[in-house]
Amino acid sequence: MTSKNTNEKSRILIVEDESVVALDLKNRLQRIGYEVIGHEKRGEDAVETAVHLRPDLVLMDIYLAGTMDGIEAAAAIGRSCSIPVVYVTAYTDDKTLERAKVTEAFGYIIKPYRERELQITIEMAIYKHELESKLEAERIWSESTLSAISDGVITADPDGYVRYMNPEASRLINKDLHDCLGEQLSSVLPLEDAGESQNGQDDVRVGNINTSRTSFPVEYSIRNIVDSNRAVIGSTTVFRDISGRLAYERELLKAKQAAEEASRVRSMFLSNISHELKTPLNSILGMSELLMESQQDSESREYHRIIYDSSHSLLNLINEILDFSRIEAGTMKIKMEPFEVEPMLEKSFEGVLLPAHRKGLDTLIDVDPDCPEQLIGDEGRIRQILTNLLNNAVKFTDAGMVRLSLDWKGDGLELVVSDTGIGIPPDKFEYIFQDFRQLDPSKTREYGGTGLGLSISRRIAEMMGGSISVESHTDGGSVFTVSLPLEAAKTTGKLGILPPVSGAEGSRVLIAVESRPIREQLQKYLRQWGATPEIYKAGKGTEKKSGNTGGADLCITDGEFIADRGTAFEKTDAPLVVVAQAGKVLPPELRRQGVCILIQPVKRRVLYQVIESVLTGESVSEAGGTVGNRWKTETPGAIIHRSKAAYLGLLTGGGNLWEDFSFEEFERVLLELKERYAGVKEVESPLFKLILLTRRKDNESLQKAINQLPGDFRNKLHG
C-alpha cells in the first residue's frame, strides 16, 4: 500500500519498547502492503534511525524505555527533518494528549486497534504530509521571489495587522519584520497619498512615506487578497522608492529645457544670419550672371560661370540647412491658404529648366482635368518638395525626360516626379530619406548635394499629413510619388478640358517633335480643342517622309527635328510653333517671320492661346509666344511672356507693381532689352541696376528704382 505511486511502497519505522507488540504491528503493516524499514525500542535510537533512513512515516509509542519518551523523540525528529509521526498508545489522559498536540503529530491511534483503522490513519497522515510539503515548497518559492524583487511588499490581515514583509520593504522603512508582525499597517507604513495616478493607471499611485526614521516619495499599489468565495482575507501593499527617478526626471527636464532654449537660440541665429549670408550671395549671383552675358572671352566667361555655380550651390546649401534647423526646432509652420494648382506646377519647374535643357532633357507637365483649380494648403512648401524632387531627377538623369504628373484622388493630391536616370536599388529606398544620406557617397563630388533634400521633403510632406514614396531600380529611372490630403477651395471649379479652339474644326496641324511623350500630349490637346493633328515622320538624312508641310494650317516642331531631318520646314508658309528647350540655339531656318517659340514644359493654357491666335490670324504676342514682325529682332530661344506689354508699360510709364508680380518674367524682359540696347548707355546702365534688384527679389527697392528712372531712359525706350 502506498499514497505516492502505484509502484512504490510507503516506508515505515516502528518505535515500540514491547517486542511482541512491535512484531504484531510489523506483520499487520506488511500484510496491508507497507514496507517496515526498522524497529527501535528507545527514543534516542528512534531519532538517530529516522534522521539516517528518512522513512515516510514513524509509528511512535509514547512511553518507551530509556531517558527519552515518544513525545520527546517525535519533537526531536521534527526539529531535525520533516517526517510525519503517528502515535500508537494506550494512554488517553488529558496531560498526555496536551503534550502530544505540541509536537503536531499526524495521528493518534488507541490500542487495541483494528487493521482498517491503522491503514486509514497511516494513509491520511502520509497524504497530509505530502500536501504540507507542497505548501511549504510553494511558500519557500514565494518568499524567495518576494525577497529577490526590488519592490517592498507587505501583507496584512483583514483587520490591517501586518502578517508578512519582504526584505526590501524592511530595508526601505528601516524596520525589522519581527518588530512589525502584529502591528497595524498604517503605523508600519504611514503613506501620504499625493492624489495622482501614475502613467494613467488608477491602481498605481504616487505618495510619500514619512516616519521618524525616514522620508521619501513612493509609487505604490494596494490589492485585496480574496479566497475562493471572494471574501477578503487580507491585503498586499507593493511600493518602491522613486526619489532617484524623480531626481533623474528633474535633471532630464532641465536638460530638455536647456536643449530647447539652445535650439531656439540656434534657430534665431540661423534665421538672422541667413539674411546676412543670402544678401551678398544674391549679389554675387546677379553680378556673375550679368558678367557671363556680357561681351568677354571664353576663359573669363568660364571663370564667371564657376563663380555663379558655386554661389548658387552655397545658397541652396544655406536654404537646406535653415529648413532642417527649423524642422528640428519645430518652428516650421504649414500655411493653409487657397492656391492655384496649375501655375504652382509650372513654377516648380522653373528652377530646373536651364540645368535640364543644358543636358538635353525633355520636360513635361501632365495634369488631371478632374483636379480642382484651387486647393487649400501651403503652396510654397509643396513647391519646395517638387523642386527638390525635380532637381534630383535632373541631376541624376543624363538622357531622356523628366516628367511631373498630377492626379486627383478625390480627397487629396498625388504628385508624381519621374525620370529616366540612373535609378535607385530597392534596398536603398528608405536609406535615401535619412538625414545627410546620399545614394552613393563616393559620387558626392560628381552630383553634389548635402543629403538633406529628400529628408526635408519627406518631413514637410508628413507635416502636411502626407507621404513620399519611391519606385525604382538601377539604370531604370525613378518615380517619386507625393501624396497630400488637400481639400478643394470652396468656390473653385475643376481644371477641366479646355473648350474647342475657335476656328480649329477641320484645321490640319502637323506635329514634328522628337519626344514621343510630348507628341502624344500635343495630339491629345489638339484633338480636345477640335483640330486634326498629323504626325510628321522622316527618315534621318533622307527625303522619305509620311505627311508633308503643304496644306498645313500650323506646324509644331522642336527645332532639332528639322536640323536632323532635312529642310522641309524652310519652304512651308504655314505658321511655326517651336517647342524648344531653354538656352538652345535654334537652326537658321526657324529665325524668320511667323515663328512662335514655346519653352518646355509646354503650358497647356499658353499653348491654347497660341493655337487660337494662329488659327484666327491674330498676333500671339499676348498669348505667350513670338509671331510676326513685332518680335523678329529678338535672339533665338528667348521667351516673350503674355505679360510683356504690361511690363514695358511699367518701365515707360512708372506706377506701382501689380499684385501678381513675377520676378522671373520681368527679368527675362529686362535681359532681352539689355541685349537689344547693348551699347546705348542711357538704357543699358539703368537696366543693369534693375536686373540686379530683380534677382535679389527686392520688391521695395525695385519699385523705387522704376519710379526714379531717368527721362533719357524712357525716351530711348519709346524711341
Side-chain angles (χ1 to χ4, degrees):
M1 182 68 65
T2 179
S3 62
K4 294 185 287 186
N5 59 59
T6 57
N7 298 321
E8 187 178 354
K9 294 181 179 180
S10 296
R11 301 162 61 251
I12 297 177
L13 173 66
I14 298 174
V15 183
E16 173 62 59
D17 59 350
E18 295 184 17
S19 299
V20 175
V21 175
L23 181 60
D24 176 64
L25 181 56
K26 177 180 178 181
N27 291 333
R28 291 190 182 197
L29 292 173
Q30 290 176 338
R31 189 163 52 247
I32 295 171
Y34 298 110
E35 178 185 356
V36 178
I37 63 170
H39 166 226
E40 299 294 344
K41 295 181 178 181
R42 301 171 66 248
E44 297 88 336
D45 298 333
V47 174
E48 184 178 350
T49 301
V51 172
H52 178 65
L53 297 179
R54 297 296 176 104
D56 297 317
L57 182 79
V58 177
L59 290 176
M60 180 79 72
D61 189 10
I62 291 180
Y63 292 100
L64 302 172
T67 58
M68 181 182 287
D69 65 10
I71 293 175
E72 293 172 334
I77 291 172
R79 288 192 297 269
S80 301
C81 52
S82 177
I83 298 174
V85 175
V86 173
Y87 292 116
V88 182
T89 182
Y91 295 93
T92 59
D93 58 283
D94 292 340
K95 183 178 179 181
T96 301
L97 286 174
E98 288 300 322
R99 288 185 62 215
K101 285 195 292 184
V102 174
T103 62
E104 298 182 353
F106 282 76
Y108 202 97
I109 301 175
I110 306 299
K111 299 176 182 178
Y113 48 80
R114 297 177 182 176
E115 285 187 16
R116 185 62 177 166
E117 179 187 359
L118 177 65
Q119 180 183 0
I120 291 172
T121 302
I122 291 172
E123 289 295 318
M124 292 301 295
I126 293 175
Y127 179 69
K128 180 182 177 184
H129 179 261
E130 289 178 351
L131 289 180
E132 288 188 355
S133 297
K134 290 180 180 179
L135 288 173
E136 178 64 13
E138 292 292 337
R139 184 190 66 78
I140 293 172
W141 272 97
S142 298
E143 286 193 3
S144 298
T145 301
L146 292 172
S147 298
I149 64 175
S150 59
D151 292 345
V153 180
I154 300 178
T155 59
D157 62 20
D159 297 322
Y161 292 101
V162 174
R163 297 288 299 276
Y164 171 79
M165 182 167 65
N166 75 339
E168 180 64 11
S170 177
R171 184 190 71 81
L172 288 172
I173 64 175
N174 197 20
K175 293 181 180 179
D176 189 76
L177 170 62
H178 299 292
D179 297 334
C180 297
L181 288 176
E183 297 292 325
Q184 275 288 326
L185 177 63
S186 58
S187 63
V188 172
L189 191 69
L191 276 169
E192 295 179 2
D193 191 359
E196 58 184 63
S197 60
Q198 183 68 7
N199 299 326
Q201 304 178 48
D202 293 336
D203 56 342
V204 179
R205 306 189 62 82
V206 174
N208 293 285
I209 291 178
N210 291 307
T211 68
S212 58
R213 300 181 181 183
T214 185
S215 177
F216 55 91
V218 294
E219 181 181 281
Y220 70 95
S221 65
I222 301 175
R223 298 285 183 87
N224 287 330
I225 304 172
V226 296
D227 61 15
S228 57
N229 296 319
R230 304 192 67 78
V232 177
I233 59 173
S235 65
T236 300
T237 302
V238 181
F239 61 100
R240 67 179 60 170
D241 183 356
I242 59 171
S243 54
R245 191 184 77 191
L246 292 180
Y248 173 76
E249 288 176 353
R250 286 192 295 270
E251 291 300 318
L252 196 63
L253 180 60
K254 288 181 182 178
K256 176 176 177 290
Q257 292 171 342
E260 288 175 345
E261 177 63 16
S263 178
R264 187 189 67 80
V265 172
R266 180 188 66 180
S267 297
M268 184 179 297
F269 168 76
L270 289 173
S271 178
N272 292 336
I273 201 66
S274 66
H275 178 74
E276 302 301 323
L277 291 171
K278 291 167 74 173
T279 299
L281 271 176
N282 283 324
S283 298
I284 295 170
L285 283 168
M287 294 298 294
S288 59
E289 189 167 358
L290 288 174
L291 287 171
M292 282 192 294
E293 293 165 358
S294 64
Q295 299 296 326
Q296 55 181 316
D297 58 78
S298 59
E299 184 178 3
S300 298
R301 191 178 299 111
E302 177 63 16
Y303 292 156
H304 293 136
R305 186 194 63 79
I306 293 172
I307 295 172
Y308 178 84
D309 290 345
S310 300
S311 302
H312 196 271
S313 297
L314 183 57
L315 184 61
N316 288 337
L317 174 62
I318 291 171
N319 288 333
E320 284 187 348
I321 293 175
L322 284 172
D323 282 336
F324 180 75
S325 66
R326 291 190 190 104
I327 292 172
E328 288 290 299
T331 58
M332 180 175 282
K333 305 298 182 183
I334 300 298
K335 300 176 183 178
M336 299 302 291
E337 299 173 344
F339 67 92
E340 299 283 344
V341 175
E342 199 163 4
M344 182 272 294
L345 299 179
E346 294 167 355
K347 290 176 183 177
S348 299
F349 242 125
E350 287 180 357
V352 300
L353 283 184
L354 281 176
H357 292 164
R358 282 184 191 134
K359 298 174 78 172
L361 301 178
D362 288 315
T363 52
L364 183 69
I365 295 177
D366 192 17
V367 298
D368 182 351
D370 290 330
C371 180
E373 290 181 331
Q374 284 192 339
L375 295 174
I376 305 296
D378 193 327
E379 178 184 2
R381 293 304 176 187
I382 298 173
R383 282 178 57 187
Q384 181 178 355
I385 293 172
L386 291 178
T387 300
N388 274 331
L389 296 179
L390 290 167
N391 184 59
N392 282 346
V394 171
K395 186 189 301 182
F396 296 105
T397 303
D398 293 326
M401 169 173 282
V402 174
R403 184 171 190 158
L404 173 58
S405 303
L406 176 150
D407 190 15
W408 178 248
K409 296 297 183 181
D411 57 353
L413 199 61
E414 194 170 87
L415 299 164
V416 180
V417 176
S418 57
D419 63 62
T420 55
I422 62 175
I424 304 166
D427 61 341
K428 296 288 187 179
F429 285 176
E430 286 303 314
Y431 177 83
I432 60 175
F433 286 102
Q434 296 176 19
D435 298 337
F436 305 104
R437 299 291 187 182
Q438 293 183 313
L439 182 61
D440 186 353
S442 66
K443 295 185 178 181
T444 299
R445 285 187 176 273
E446 180 180 351
Y447 293 113
T450 61
L452 280 175
L454 287 177
S455 170
I456 291 172
S457 297
R458 172 173 275 189
R459 293 200 193 188
I460 293 174
E462 290 173 349
M463 288 174 68
M464 296 180 184
S467 63
I468 300 180
S469 60
V470 59
E471 295 179 11
S472 180
H473 55 84
T474 306
D475 298 326
S478 303
V479 178
F480 284 83
T481 302
V482 183
S483 300
L484 299 173
L486 303 179
E487 295 182 358
K490 292 183 179 179
T491 58
T492 185
K494 295 182 178 180
L495 291 177
I497 297 174
L498 299 178
V501 173
S502 175
E505 186 176 356
S507 297
R508 178 170 169 260
V509 179
L510 198 62
I511 301 174
V513 175
E514 192 69 30
S515 169
R516 180 178 177 180
I518 295 178
R519 285 202 310 267
E520 291 174 348
Q521 186 182 62
L522 291 172
Q523 279 183 289
K524 179 179 71 173
Y525 287 160
L526 290 168
R527 288 194 181 104
Q528 290 174 356
W529 302 337
T532 303
E534 182 178 331
I535 302 299
Y536 181 94
K537 298 179 181 178
K540 191 170 183 178
T542 74
E543 294 301 322
K544 296 179 181 179
K545 57 184 179 294
S546 63
N548 58 77
T549 60
D553 297 292
L554 175 66
C555 295
I556 302 178
T557 183
D558 61 1
E560 293 182 5
F561 186 96
I562 302 174
D564 289 342
R565 290 166 173 78
T567 58
F569 281 84
E570 273 188 276
K571 303 170 183 178
T572 180
D573 293 328
L576 285 183
V577 173
V578 180
V579 179
Q581 294 180 354
K584 293 288 184 178
V585 177
L586 299 180
E589 58 267 26
L590 296 184
R591 303 178 198 173
R592 61 177 175 81
Q593 180 176 334
V595 174
C596 174
I597 301 170
L598 297 179
I599 298 300
Q600 292 184 30
V602 175
K603 298 179 180 179
R604 188 174 62 130
R605 296 182 183 275
V606 172
L607 177 63
Y608 182 91
Q609 293 169 354
V610 169
I611 299 296
E612 186 175 44
S613 297
V614 170
L615 294 181
T616 56
E618 298 176 1
S619 170
V620 296
S621 60
E622 300 299 321
T626 61
V627 174
N629 295 326
R630 183 173 181 182
W631 304 110
K632 63 182 179 181
T633 58
E634 69 175 18
T635 57
I639 312 167
I640 306 302
H641 290 268
R642 55 190 171 90
S643 54
K644 179 168 183 176
Y647 283 118
L648 292 176
L650 175 70
L651 286 172
T652 57
N656 294 319
L657 299 181
W658 50 91
E659 185 178 358
D660 294 329
F661 183 81
S662 170
F663 289 104
E664 291 80 6
E665 293 178 2
F666 194 30
E667 182 184 343
R668 292 189 184 107
V669 173
L670 294 173
L671 288 171
E672 180 212 349
L673 292 171
K674 178 177 173 293
E675 185 167 347
R676 184 179 301 175
Y677 290 94
V680 182
K681 185 178 179 181
E682 295 86 349
V683 175
E684 194 173 33
S685 180
L687 283 174
F688 188 88
K689 181 179 180 181
L690 293 177
I691 291 170
L692 186 59
L693 291 173
T694 303
R695 286 178 179 167
R696 289 182 183 176
K697 297 187 177 180
D698 188 342
N699 201 324
E700 184 177 352
S701 299
L702 185 59
Q703 176 69 68
K704 290 180 181 178
I706 291 174
N707 292 336
Q708 294 171 2
L709 284 171
D712 290 345
F713 173 87
R714 301 184 195 279
N715 294 335
K716 287 286 184 183
L717 205 58
H718 276 302

